[in-house]
Amino acid sequence: MTEYISTYITGLGNVVKNRLITDLPGAKVVRVFDGLIYYKYDGNFNDLKRIIYLNNTFCVMKVYKGNQLDFKVMVNKCIKGRQQFLINKGTFRVRFSRENQFVKVDRNVTQNAEKSIQGNSCLRPDRVNPTTEIWYIIRSEGMGFFCQLLFKRKVTEKNLNKGELRPEFSNLMCSCITLNKDMIICDPFCGYGAISKQLITRFNVKKVYASDLDKEKVDLIKKSKWSENKKIKVFHANAMKLKEIADSTVDAVITDPPWGYYEQIDDMKDFYKEMLKELNRIVKENGKIVILTARKEEFESSCIDLGISISKKYDTLVNGKKASVYIFSNLK
């Protein structure tokens, strides 16, 4: 089997592992690191492009183990062996990464690496604008990789509206619980529709309710092509009073409520309490709730005050800010 590594959003390793096994039939996960998954797959490597929650994906050509890994030693070991590249035409550059940071190495090390790659491929070096990249990676867990970058996720914060979740993050939030074709899902703080769009385009659910207090954002969603799907209802509403949704009619809530950084919220604890009470009203018995927030102290304190138990918690990063995804199995 061909070996691969892919990066993903930190903190959500268990979610990524479970999804990958389902989305890539026959794939075998070797190891899950924080922010990186190492796996084997016999199918076409282009299949990996459609896995939205993976960011950079590499073909692994050599694995190193040890707590004192050194780039010079890694390069020398590669020189002695044969190398096969999935992308074998065009130009390349060599990059060295230690603990997720690019580092400079001795010029001779880089040159030796380039000569070895040229001798084993049809690739030509181009340090400015290459068509592919060859990476040497050292992880803090005592493992290293010699690998070729196959593709990277192109969507960045520059392509999104202010405060809008990245597609891969929204997708993983939806994957935190098991969804099926009979479920009704609600996102009462839909914003620009990041979560709702994933539910409609990537998951087979029965119905999606998407609402927000900001009418301009709701109107913007209604203009999007994906919102024309008959399975989604987009409407303007206050999440604390969802009059359009009857008691105990929603199977799950997946949402990213305001964090109080860009909005005026006088008391975050009271805000969360009112929110949780309303979400508890609309979900069915044994329903699920998934909530993302960076205001962890206030949110967890609100749960304690209400006597609500958190089923799972994933600590992560959103645009560089520490945040957590909270999962509740049953609030009632």
Side-chain angles (χ1 to χ4, degrees):
M1 280 189 172
T2 305
E3 297 184 353
Y4 300 91
I5 54 174
S6 296
T7 59
Y8 62 86
I9 296 166
T10 183
L12 295 167
N14 287 336
V15 181
V16 170
K17 178 182 178 181
N18 293 334
R19 276 293 303 276
L20 192 65
I21 294 171
T22 301
D23 294 339
L24 283 178
K28 296 181 179 180
V29 175
V30 179
R31 186 170 175 182
V32 179
F33 304 90
D34 186 26
L36 185 142
I37 186 166
Y38 173 27
Y39 55 102
K40 297 180 180 181
Y41 180 59
D42 254 349
N44 191 315
F45 75 88
N46 285 306
D47 293 344
L48 306 179
K49 287 184 179 179
R50 62 182 172 81
I51 310 297
I52 187 174
Y53 47 84
L54 299 180
N55 293 324
N56 295 350
T57 293
F58 305 80
C59 174
V60 175
M61 292 171 285
K62 191 170 182 59
V63 178
Y64 307 82
K65 296 181 179 180
N67 294 320
Q68 301 295 325
L69 293 177
D70 175 81
F71 287 121
K72 182 178 180 180
V73 175
M74 292 168 68
V75 170
N76 287 339
K77 287 184 178 181
C78 279
I79 291 174
K80 296 176 182 178
R82 296 292 299 172
Q83 304 157 16
Q84 291 186 333
F85 301 91
L86 288 184
I87 300 173
N88 198 22
K89 293 182 180 180
T91 58
F92 76 94
R93 69 178 168 194
V94 182
R95 310 201 79 166
F96 298 88
S97 172
R98 183 186 291 273
E99 297 181 22
N100 300 323
Q101 297 292 327
F102 289 126
V103 297
K104 291 183 179 180
V105 300
D106 185 272
R107 185 176 180 180
N108 290 331
V109 174
T110 301
Q111 290 177 338
N112 287 338
E114 289 175 344
K115 289 178 182 178
S116 175
I117 294 166
Q118 283 182 276
N120 285 277
S121 73
C122 298
L123 297 167
R124 307 181 313 277
D126 181 348
R127 298 179 183 178
V128 179
N129 189 31
T131 53
T132 188
E133 294 181 353
I134 312 300
W135 287 36
Y136 285 87
I137 298 173
I138 294 178
R139 296 280 306 187
S140 60
E141 297 90 347
M143 287 192 71
F145 300 94
F146 171 59
C147 50
Q148 181 178 34
L149 178 63
L150 300 178
F151 33 78
K152 61 179 70 175
R153 189 67 54 200
K154 295 181 180 180
V155 176
T156 67
E157 281 71 20
K158 294 180 181 178
N159 307 113
L160 305 174
N161 295 290
K162 186 176 181 180
E164 182 178 359
L165 285 178
R166 292 174 64 99
E168 59 268 35
F169 198 108
S170 302
N171 189 279
L172 285 178
M173 278 191 66
C174 296
S175 303
C176 285
I177 58 175
T178 302
L179 301 177
N180 62 57
K181 61 183 179 62
D182 298 318
M183 295 180 72
I184 299 173
I185 316 297
C186 177
D187 179 5
F189 299 96
C190 66
Y192 293 102
I195 294 172
S196 300
K197 182 178 180 180
Q198 291 300 313
L199 287 167
I200 288 298
T201 60
R202 301 276 181 171
F203 295 86
N204 183 24
V205 296
K206 182 178 181 179
K207 183 77 175 179
V208 175
Y209 291 114
S211 66
D212 200 274
L213 188 59
D214 189 331
K215 192 175 185 302
E216 290 185 4
K217 292 178 181 177
V218 170
D219 291 340
L220 188 63
I221 292 176
K222 288 181 178 180
K223 294 178 182 178
S224 62
K225 188 172 182 61
W226 59 268
S227 70
E228 297 174 2
N229 192 303
K230 294 180 180 180
K231 290 184 177 182
I232 188 170
K233 179 180 180 180
V234 184
F235 55 98
H236 176 233
N238 184 342
M240 308 305 183
K241 297 179 181 179
L242 296 167
K243 298 178 181 179
E244 295 82 354
I245 304 178
D247 296 358
S248 304
T249 55
V250 171
D251 294 286
V253 173
I254 306 174
T255 195
D256 173 24
W259 296 356
Y261 294 141
Y262 308 111
E263 311 84 0
Q264 180 60 43
I265 300 177
D266 294 331
D267 191 317
M268 288 302 300
K269 280 188 62 176
D270 285 345
F271 172 82
Y272 285 134
K273 286 181 182 180
E274 291 303 310
M275 175 192 73
L276 289 168
K277 288 177 182 177
E278 182 64 358
L279 299 187
N280 188 40
R281 178 187 70 80
I282 66 172
V283 295
K284 299 177 181 178
E285 187 172 355
N286 298 321
K288 309 285 186 180
I289 295 179
V290 181
I291 293 174
L292 170 67
T293 182
R295 303 296 290 268
K296 295 187 280 186
E297 183 177 345
E298 294 97 328
F299 184 74
E300 292 177 17
S301 180
S302 300
C303 293
I304 292 173
D305 289 351
L306 292 173
I308 295 172
S309 298
I310 298 167
S311 301
K312 290 182 182 178
K313 175 186 174 184
Y314 298 108
D315 292 324
T316 184
L317 292 174
V318 180
N319 298 334
K321 291 185 175 66
K322 292 182 179 181
S324 293
V325 178
Y326 294 88
I327 302 172
F328 303 88
S329 295
N330 184 14
L331 296 185
K332 297 186 183 296

